[in-house]
């Protein structure tokens, strides 16, 4: 899969997970893994980028004697996710054109 396309898909997957509820790294990976391959070394730069662009915020909470970082989607993140969904609708038309054919 094209690297740039996969990057956009992974961003959207992370935002989608966080749309449901706040979450932490390992849980985000386990929620996304059935749909697209993702590792910790891929996830954390995505989370850092989403945080630096104000699409997610964080808070730390103690869990089993350790601090765990929780991520929450912001309004800006929700807006970006909605844009991505609109882009997917356009992409679906192109996909159908390629797979089914241009003439109907």
């Amino acid at each position: 899969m094209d690297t740039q396309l996969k990057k956009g898909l992974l961003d959207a997957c992370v935002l989608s997970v966080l749309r449901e509820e706040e979450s932490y790294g390992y849980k985000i990976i386990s929620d996304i893994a059935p749909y697209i391959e993702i590792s910790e070394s891929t996830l954390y730069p995505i989370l850092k980028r989403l945080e630096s662009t104000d699409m997610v915020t964080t808070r730390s909470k103690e869990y089993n004697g350790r601090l765990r970082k929780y991520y929450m989607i912001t309004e800006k993140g929700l807006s970006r996710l909605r844009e991505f969904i609109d882009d997917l609708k356009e992409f679906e038309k192109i996909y159908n054109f390629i797979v089914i054919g241009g003439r109907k």
Side-chain angles (χ1 to χ4, degrees), residues 9-44:
L9 287 171
L10 287 172
D11 286 3
C13 288
V14 170
L15 292 171
S16 182
V17 166
L18 297 176
R19 173 182 54 187
E20 301 302 319
E21 64 183 350
E22 70 176 16
S23 194
Y24 55 95
Y26 180 79
K27 175 96 168 64
I28 294 169
I29 290 172
S30 65
D31 289 342
I32 294 172
Y35 306 100
I36 190 168
E37 184 179 329
I38 187 167
S39 65
E40 286 183 32
S41 63
T42 301
L43 175 66
Y44 287 104

Side-chain angles (χ1 to χ4, degrees), residues 45-73:
I46 291 169
L47 288 168
K48 187 173 183 88
R49 184 177 61 254
L50 292 173
E51 184 178 11
S52 72
T53 55
D54 299 322
M55 291 190 213
V56 301
T57 59
T58 62
R59 71 177 180 93
S60 295
K61 181 179 175 185
E62 189 172 323
Y63 179 80
N64 286 342
R66 296 178 47 208
L67 279 181
R68 179 183 278 173
K69 196 171 191 177
Y70 287 84
Y71 298 86
M72 294 134 311
I73 194 167

Side-chain angles (χ1 to χ4, degrees), residues 73-99:
I73 194 167
T74 64
E75 191 57 46
K76 187 174 180 181
L78 286 169
S79 178
R80 177 60 194 116
L81 185 58
R82 286 189 292 269
E83 288 171 10
F84 184 83
I85 291 167
D86 289 342
D87 290 346
L88 277 180
K89 291 173 186 173
E90 185 176 334
F91 188 77
E92 182 180 24
K93 291 177 191 175
I94 297 166
Y95 171 84
N96 287 334
F97 173 78
I98 293 168
V99 173

